[in-house]
Amino acid sequence: MLAAALQRNPDERGLDTSGFPSFKYKNGFWAKKWSSADNRQYACQFWTPFMSGYGGITVVLMPNGSIYYYFSDNNEFAWYEAVNESNKLQTHVPVENVL
């Protein structure tokens, strides 16, 4: 169950959400798909599972092992730049390619 929620199983990504950008939802975790369309530094597609709470609480688990967390009560959900910066430390590789 945890592996599916963390997007480690490509056959169990979860439910599609409406809106833009589109996310997946599985077992309490949301997930965003990333590719070179999001940032040209990405040579492959990968997923970032994240938890999102009321008002702006965010915890993002990146495929390179880094974790980003942000706590706010001002409806701020800006965490995409953290994913881009984390990729500079160690390149994001899809977790299912590592297992």
Side-chain angles (χ1 to χ4, degrees), residues 10 12 17 32 34 43 47 49 54 59 64 67 75 77 79 85 95 98:
E12 294 186 46
T17 63
K32 181 187 181 325
W34 295 80
W47 291 85
Y54 181 78
V59 178
N64 68 0
I67 299 171
N75 287 325
F77 297 92
W79 52 269
E85 291 300 315
V95 175
V98 177

Side-chain angles (χ1 to χ4, degrees), residues 55-56 72-76:
S72 170
D73 60 359
N74 199 28
N75 287 325
E76 297 175 33

Side-chain angles (χ1 to χ4, degrees), residues 18-40:
S18 60
F20 184 81
S22 177
F23 297 116
K24 295 284 190 179
Y25 184 80
K26 182 82 173 180
N27 297 327
F29 284 81
W30 301 92
K32 181 187 181 325
K33 185 177 186 178
W34 295 80
S35 70
S36 59
D38 296 294
N39 192 316
R40 65 181 182 188

Side-chain angles (χ1 to χ4, degrees), residues 3-23:
L6 296 180
Q7 300 298 311
R8 294 185 177 161
N9 184 347
D11 297 327
E12 294 186 46
R13 294 286 184 209
L15 301 173
D16 290 314
T17 63
S18 60
F20 184 81
S22 177
F23 297 116

Side-chain angles (χ1 to χ4, degrees), residues 35-50:
S35 70
S36 59
D38 296 294
N39 192 316
R40 65 181 182 188
Q41 71 178 329
Y42 301 133
C44 61
Q45 294 181 351
F46 61 92
W47 291 85
T48 53
F50 65 98

